Amino acid sequence: MTDDVTGTVADPAATESPLAERIEAILLIIDEPIGLIALAAAVGSPVAAVRQAIETLVDDYDGRGAGPRRGFELREVGGGWRLYVRDDHDDLVAEFIGGQAPARLSQAALETLAVIAYKQPVTRSQVASIRAVNVDSVVRTLLARGLITEMFADSETGAINYGTTDALLQHLGINSLDELPPISPLLDDGADGFDEGTIR
């Protein structure tokens, strides 16, 4: 890029934000752990530099840098990195979110919850594929309400698999998922749980 005033070629790196800031920007918006290679591609930096920046951020958040320990931490889970609230503050955050949560679930939340209940364990992207819409915010809402939980991370992709909680069973007034009604024909081919005579 040429400077219009001096006619010199501007250095793109001189106007680029610091690597740690770019990494933090990505970490703040992801819902699942992101691997080093994907993170390096997202911020446009070498993997080695991203790895070093991650280590620096971990130390900074843990209070081993110049500043105090933060209420969140950068944790490696399932081969990827993601920001998490520190365990010390779980109760505080749960109480705050519970107080902010609406009394009733939206139609989108109910539909997403149904998919997770019938298909669990299931990833967010699989739920989005079934519903044909983005479900990121809905999944966050269901997690905040304690109706679903993160069961495990896929060993290869790092994708979080979700399942329902005992709280859902209590709200539905059932003892197990086996008591759920037959699955809707909108999921899979709809053959299971329906009598041939009732399908037209």
Side-chain angles (χ1 to χ4, degrees):
M1 181 185 299
T2 303
D3 188 291
D4 292 334
V5 177
T6 64
T8 59
V9 177
D11 180 8
T15 58
E16 194 173 66
S17 58
L19 175 57
E21 289 185 15
R22 301 200 309 274
I23 290 173
E24 285 179 318
I26 297 299
L27 292 173
L28 281 172
I29 63 166
I30 59 172
D31 289 313
E32 296 181 352
I34 183 171
L36 280 176
I37 295 176
L39 186 54
V43 299
S45 295
V47 173
V50 171
R51 181 183 292 110
Q52 184 176 0
I54 286 285
E55 292 172 359
T56 301
L57 287 173
V58 168
D59 287 342
D60 182 30
Y61 299 157
D62 289 347
R64 292 191 291 269
R69 189 176 89 137
R70 312 295 177 83
F72 56 88
E73 61 183 329
L74 183 52
R75 194 188 311 162
E76 186 175 18
V77 176
W81 292 89
R82 183 180 170 196
L83 292 171
Y84 291 87
V85 172
R86 290 194 184 277
D87 293 342
D88 307 2
H89 306 303
D90 279 351
D91 292 341
L92 172 68
V93 172
E95 182 178 348
F96 172 77
I97 292 176
Q100 301 296 309
R104 307 182 79 169
L105 291 176
S106 66
Q107 184 65 32
L110 288 172
E111 291 173 6
T112 300
L113 183 57
V115 172
I116 295 173
Y118 281 103
K119 304 291 285 185
Q120 62 185 307
V122 62
T123 66
R124 180 180 48 79
S125 60
Q126 289 171 331
V127 176
S129 176
I130 291 171
R131 291 201 57 229
V133 294
N134 187 298
V135 297
D136 293 354
S137 63
V138 177
V139 167
R140 284 195 294 270
T141 297
L142 295 175
L143 282 168
R145 298 291 296 270
L147 298 174
I148 64 172
T149 186
E150 296 179 355
M151 298 178 70
F152 61 89
D154 187 278
S155 59
E156 295 182 2
T157 65
I160 301 296
N161 280 261
Y162 297 95
T164 53
T165 64
D166 289 342
L168 175 64
L169 299 180
Q170 294 171 11
H171 284 295
L172 294 178
I174 59 178
N175 293 314
S176 76
L177 294 173
D178 295 334
E179 297 179 40
L180 287 173
I183 194 165
S184 164
L186 297 178
L187 301 178
D188 289 339
D189 60 6
D192 294 335
F194 289 85
D195 297 329
E196 287 186 1
T198 63
I199 301 177
R200 294 179 173 80

